[in-house]
């Protein structure tokens, strides 16, 4: 699978239009990533630039929405433990990015020689060491958020490593990517609310989106698949309806105690319903059109655009899930990550850096 889907997940791989995400996840696929001309990737001669390219920094903006949506689904206000969960997610996401390039170094030498490892700008041993250090940091941050958070972060880290080292090119790859994204959302719920049960529906919805994007990305170098973009389009339609029409209901005691959204913000249920519908429409608008184009003409370029659209749609979906849980302010904060990510990518001259 290409790194495209990994971004969507917010864990291991990556995608042609950094957005994350996944990401993220983010995504963040097929057996290999798309081929890119050297002109498509800005030159980063410095060591710092090489690491920024390896870690695909613009994709990081798809990651915080997982934990924030998880906190909203748990019916708890984001707090210090939520920040620790976000830090853990970011570390595990970047660990996956570094590990992904290390695992694909031989493949990249032929298909993407401009990448940091095959070009010699970063040693493979350094990338592997970075993956290990970042994984340790992610687990440490999760431990700081409490045992429930660590209990989710550990299988999340294991999924990231299993995906990059063993599952990426197997039929289980998309499911592993979807599991990682769902676990990332549950990490925010566990860290903030102490449990994950209330967040399971949101995790399932986010995982379904990731599964669809990953399935499309598995053919992004060869094209030719009509069924995958059609299935992704159907998934997008179903998810749009679910986030717009159904609200997560917490147990009565939790509803009374919970204060949705950021501190000091308790938007009216009607307002969050409208917000969830609007964000769901934004999600559909971002993902659906590229899927349609890829279904009508499943060429590699249009398939890659479809994957990029799916990854970019991760943030509005995260925001819609937060609004669906009644956390209006949190959903707006998540939605703001999309323009922030685009601005960062432009200013850092990394707008066209592939996550593959």
């Amino acid at each position: 699978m290409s790194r495209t889907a990994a971004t969507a997940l917010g864990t291991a791989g990556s995608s042609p239009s950094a957005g994350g995400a996944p990401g993220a996840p983010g995504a963040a696929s097929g057996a290999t990533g798309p081929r890119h001309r050297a002109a498509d990737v800005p030159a980063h001669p410095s060591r710092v630039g090489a690491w920024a390219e390896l870690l695909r920094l613009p994709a990081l903006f798809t990651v915080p929405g997982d934990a924030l949506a998880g906190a909203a689904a748990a019916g708890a206000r984001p707090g210090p433990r939520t920040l620790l969960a976000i830090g853990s997610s970011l570390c595990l996401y970047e660990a996956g990015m570094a590990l992904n390039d290390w695992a694909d170094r031989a493949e990249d030498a032929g298909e993407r020689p401009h990448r940091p490892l095959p070009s010699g700008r970063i040693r493979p041993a350094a990338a592997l060491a970075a993956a290990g250090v970042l994984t340790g940091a992610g687990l440490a941050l999760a431990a700081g958020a409490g045992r429930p958070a660590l209990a989710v972060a550990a299988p999340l880290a294991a999924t990231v490593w299993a995906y990059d080292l063993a599952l990426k090119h197997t039929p289980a790859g998309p499911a592993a990517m979807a599991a990682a994204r769902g676990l990332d959302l549950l990490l925010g719920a566990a860290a903030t609310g102490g449990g994950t049960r209330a967040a399971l529906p949101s995790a399932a919805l986010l995982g379904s989106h990731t599964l669809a994007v990953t399935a499309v990305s598995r053919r992004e170098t060869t094209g030719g698949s009509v069924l995958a973009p059609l299935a992704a389009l159907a998934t997008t339609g179903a998810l749009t309806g679910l986030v717009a029409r159904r609200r997560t209901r917490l147990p009565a005691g939790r509803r009374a105690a919970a204060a949705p959204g950021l501190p000091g913000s308790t938007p009216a249920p009607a307002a969050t319903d409208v917000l969830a519908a609007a964000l769901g429409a934004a999600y559909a608008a971002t993902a659906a059109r590229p899927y349609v184009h890829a279904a009508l003409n499943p060429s590699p370029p249009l398939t890659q655009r479809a994957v990029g659209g799916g990854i970019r749609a991760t943030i509005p979906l995260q925001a819609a899930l937060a609004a669906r849980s009644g956390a209006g302010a949190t959903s707006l904060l998540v939605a703001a990550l999309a323009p922030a990510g685009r601005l960062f990518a432009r200013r850092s001259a990394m707008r066209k850096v592939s996550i593959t």
Side-chain angles (χ1 to χ4, degrees):
M1 152 181 183
S2 75
R3 287 159 211 144
T4 296
T7 278
L9 235 230
T11 76
S14 62
S15 149
S17 306
S29 316
T32 61
R35 299 172 185 266
H36 295 279
R37 299 188 305 273
D40 289 335
V41 181
H44 290 283
S46 70
R47 180 173 294 274
V48 172
W51 280 100
E53 185 179 340
L54 175 73
L55 298 176
R56 303 168 180 86
L57 296 184
L60 285 177
F61 287 84
T62 67
V63 179
D66 290 345
L68 291 171
R77 293 181 178 180
R81 292 192 174 190
T82 313
L83 293 178
L84 288 172
I86 291 173
S88 175
S89 296
L90 291 171
C91 287
L92 294 176
Y93 184 94
E94 291 293 37
M97 292 293 189
L99 184 63
N100 192 72
D101 273 31
W102 181 84
D104 285 354
R105 62 194 184 281
E107 175 185 307
D108 285 349
E111 296 193 356
R112 294 172 286 274
H114 58 271
R115 294 293 303 157
L117 268 61
S119 67
R121 288 176 289 152
I122 296 177
R123 293 182 296 108
L128 182 60
V133 170
L134 286 165
T135 299
L139 293 175
L141 288 169
R147 288 186 179 181
L150 181 59
V152 176
L156 172 57
T159 302
V160 169
W161 281 72
Y163 171 80
D164 278 332
L165 299 181
L167 301 177
K168 184 187 309 182
H169 302 293
T170 73
M177 190 65 79
R181 196 61 148 181
L183 285 169
D184 204 36
L185 186 147
L186 294 179
L187 175 58
T192 310
T196 60
R197 184 174 181 179
L200 288 174
S202 291
L205 294 179
L206 186 59
S208 297
H209 167 73
T210 302
L211 181 67
V213 177
T214 306
V216 175
S217 72
R218 290 175 75 86
R219 299 294 296 272
E220 64 183 349
T221 52
T222 61
S225 173
V226 174
L227 292 180
L230 284 177
L233 184 63
T235 299
T236 299
L239 293 178
T240 300
L242 289 172
V243 299
R245 298 174 187 173
R246 298 184 185 179
R247 292 172 53 82
T248 299
R249 298 297 180 184
L250 298 174
R254 292 290 296 280
R255 282 203 303 271
L262 296 176
S265 173
T266 54
T272 54
D273 286 343
V274 172
L275 185 57
L279 291 167
Y283 160 68
T286 303
R289 186 175 180 181
Y291 289 153
V292 171
H293 290 169
L296 294 175
N297 178 12
S299 63
L302 290 182
T303 301
Q304 292 162 20
R305 290 181 187 177
V307 176
I311 291 172
R312 288 191 298 274
T314 301
I315 292 179
L317 177 58
Q318 293 165 335
L321 290 173
R324 174 177 180 262
S325 299
T330 297
S331 69
L332 293 175
L333 176 61
V334 173
L337 292 171
R342 289 193 295 269
L343 179 62
F344 175 83
R346 286 196 297 267
R347 290 190 173 181
S348 62
M350 294 180 67
R351 189 174 185 181
K352 292 187 178 180
V353 171
S354 168
I355 301 174
T356 68

